[in-house]
Amino acid sequence: MPLIAIALAALAVTFEQFVQWKFGAMGIIGLVALTVGVKARNATIGGVGAVILVMLLAQSG
Protein backbone atom coordinates (compact mmCIF):
# COMPACT_ATOMS: atom_id res chain seq x y z
CA MET A 1 0.00 0.00 0.00
CA PRO A 2 2.72 2.60 0.80
CA LEU A 3 4.38 1.83 -2.54
CA ILE A 4 1.15 2.64 -4.38
CA ALA A 5 0.77 5.91 -2.45
CA ILE A 6 4.35 6.91 -3.29
CA ALA A 7 3.84 6.06 -6.95
CA LEU A 8 0.61 8.08 -7.11
CA ALA A 9 2.26 11.05 -5.40
CA ALA A 10 5.15 10.92 -7.86
CA LEU A 11 2.71 10.76 -10.76
CA ALA A 12 0.77 13.76 -9.41
CA VAL A 13 3.94 15.82 -8.99
CA THR A 14 5.10 14.88 -12.49
CA PHE A 15 1.73 15.87 -13.98
CA GLU A 16 1.78 19.18 -12.09
CA GLN A 17 5.28 19.97 -13.36
CA PHE A 18 4.20 19.15 -16.93
CA VAL A 19 1.19 21.47 -16.66
CA GLN A 20 3.37 24.26 -15.28
CA TRP A 21 5.96 23.76 -18.03
CA LYS A 22 3.37 23.64 -20.81
CA PHE A 23 0.82 26.23 -19.65
CA GLY A 24 2.62 28.37 -17.06
CA ALA A 25 1.07 29.89 -13.98
CA MET A 26 -2.49 29.89 -15.35
CA GLY A 27 -2.25 26.15 -15.87
CA ILE A 28 -1.34 25.63 -12.24
CA ILE A 29 -4.14 27.96 -11.11
CA GLY A 30 -6.64 26.04 -13.24
CA LEU A 31 -5.40 22.68 -12.00
CA VAL A 32 -5.53 23.78 -8.35
CA ALA A 33 -9.02 25.27 -8.77
CA LEU A 34 -10.26 22.08 -10.41
CA THR A 35 -8.71 19.89 -7.70
CA VAL A 36 -10.04 22.02 -4.85
CA GLY A 37 -13.49 22.14 -6.44
CA VAL A 38 -13.65 18.37 -6.83
CA LYS A 39 -12.38 17.63 -3.32
CA ALA A 40 -14.69 20.22 -1.72
CA ARG A 41 -17.60 19.16 -3.96
CA ASN A 42 -17.96 22.78 -5.06
CA ALA A 43 -19.17 22.88 -8.65
CA THR A 44 -18.39 26.57 -9.09
CA ILE A 45 -14.71 26.34 -8.22
CA GLY A 46 -14.32 23.08 -10.14
CA GLY A 47 -16.06 24.59 -13.15
CA VAL A 48 -13.82 27.64 -13.12
CA GLY A 49 -10.74 25.44 -13.00
CA ALA A 50 -12.05 23.27 -15.83
CA VAL A 51 -12.83 26.32 -17.98
CA ILE A 52 -9.34 27.72 -17.42
CA LEU A 53 -7.74 24.43 -18.46
CA VAL A 54 -10.00 24.08 -21.51
CA MET A 55 -9.22 27.63 -22.61
CA LEU A 56 -5.49 26.96 -22.27
CA LEU A 57 -5.80 23.73 -24.25
CA ALA A 58 -7.83 25.43 -26.99
CA GLN A 59 -5.30 28.25 -27.20
CA SER A 60 -2.33 25.94 -27.59
CA GLY A 61 -3.97 23.75 -30.23
Side-chain angles (χ1 to χ4, degrees):
M1 185 67 168
L3 182 61
I4 294 172
I6 291 171
L8 287 175
L11 183 64
V13 169
T14 303
F15 180 71
E16 183 179 328
Q17 290 298 318
F18 173 74
V19 168
Q20 185 175 7
W21 169 73
K22 183 79 174 162
F23 302 114
M26 283 306 292
I28 292 297
I29 291 170
L31 185 64
V32 167
L34 180 62
T35 304
V36 167
V38 168
K39 288 193 184 247
R41 295 185 181 178
N42 187 333
T44 304
I45 301 292
V48 168
V51 167
I52 290 172
L53 289 176
V54 167
M55 296 298 288
L56 288 171
L57 287 170
Q59 181 182 15
S60 69

